[in-house]
Amino acid sequence: MIEELAERASIYFSNKNIIDRNKQEIYKYGFELLISTIFNVVGILIISGILRVVLGAVLFIIAFVPLRLSAGGYHAKHHWSCILGFNIIFLCFALLLKYLNTDFMRYYSLVSIMVCSIFIWSFAPVEAANKPLKQEQREKQKKHSVIISSVNLAIVLTFFALPNLPSNLLAYYISGALSASGLLVIPKISKKTDG
């Protein structure tokens, strides 16, 4: 369905002379990513609306996206498995945090950012199988990942030092970062089990 929508969009814009007909396949791929991202975000907003944690979902996505873009990680083979997987990951974290005692949220965030930092330092960046990185790109993405992880650590330490700040919002934010960094481990494990 996503591929079909993307193809229709690329044909439509090509027929209107908005995009170059020779680059229609490239645009089709771009539309696939855009449509998949929209479905992902809509799914998370629906889940967060049902659980009444919309602000938490927004913070989860804000932490997830930059780290995912710089660090890379596991890629599902199909758009729907990506959408389903990402929404299940968010649902699990949302349910955990919804029922986690507020007193433990700061400690949860502190432990999570430590785990996240270890994953970033150890594994980032993880390149996609169909898009290998040059050494210069790897170094740049590693640097960006470490910077983002360091900023996240500073945010957690600030929340830890100032107990009046809302720890539940911090926990959603750090869960997004933890999710992104956790996706770095899967390709490393599968390489060891495959080879």
Side-chain angles (χ1 to χ4, degrees):
M1 178 180 145
I2 290 174
E3 292 86 357
E4 186 180 324
L5 287 171
E7 187 166 355
R8 285 183 185 181
S10 63
I11 290 169
Y12 173 80
F13 286 112
S14 175
N15 289 341
K16 295 284 185 185
N17 292 322
I18 295 171
I19 63 172
D20 184 352
R21 200 173 292 278
N22 297 329
K23 295 182 180 176
Q24 195 170 324
E25 280 301 309
I26 295 169
Y27 283 100
K28 179 184 173 252
Y29 178 70
F31 282 125
E32 282 181 32
L33 293 179
L34 177 64
I35 294 166
S36 178
T37 301
I38 290 169
F39 278 120
N40 253 325
V41 171
V42 167
I44 286 181
L45 290 177
I46 289 170
I47 292 168
S48 66
I50 291 168
L51 295 176
R52 296 185 178 147
V53 293
V54 175
L55 182 55
V58 170
L59 292 170
F60 183 92
I61 292 169
I62 287 172
F64 181 89
V65 171
L67 206 45
R68 177 69 171 168
L69 291 175
S70 65
Y74 174 77
H75 286 278
K77 292 187 173 146
H78 306 285
H79 292 293
W80 287 113
S81 51
C82 173
I83 293 165
L84 182 63
F86 187 56
N87 279 265
I88 288 172
I89 288 169
F90 173 74
L91 177 63
C92 291
F93 276 108
L95 289 173
L96 168 74
L97 297 176
K98 189 164 178 69
Y99 298 107
L100 186 66
N101 186 314
T102 310
D103 296 335
F104 293 114
M105 285 195 180
R106 285 185 202 291
Y107 297 102
Y108 161 81
S109 297
L110 188 61
V111 170
S112 295
I113 194 59
M114 288 178 188
V115 170
C116 179
S117 298
I118 290 168
F119 288 167
I120 296 296
W121 279 94
S122 301
F123 304 122
V126 173
E127 58 195 6
N130 62 346
K131 189 181 173 190
L133 298 172
K134 295 177 183 170
Q135 184 60 30
E136 184 181 314
Q137 292 171 310
R138 289 185 62 74
E139 290 170 6
K140 185 177 179 183
Q141 285 187 236
K142 175 77 167 191
K143 182 180 175 183
H144 286 157
S145 302
V146 168
I147 289 170
I148 292 168
S149 185
S150 300
V151 168
N152 288 341
L153 176 61
I155 290 169
V156 170
L157 293 177
T158 300
F159 270 75
F160 213 83
L162 304 170
N164 293 334
L165 296 175
S167 57
N168 62 327
L169 296 180
L170 172 66
Y172 277 98
Y173 178 83
I174 293 305
S175 294
L178 182 60
S179 300
S181 66
L183 291 173
L184 299 173
V185 178
I186 297 169
K188 298 296 181 181
I189 292 172
S190 30
K191 275 185 186 175
K192 286 183 180 175
T193 56
D194 292 343

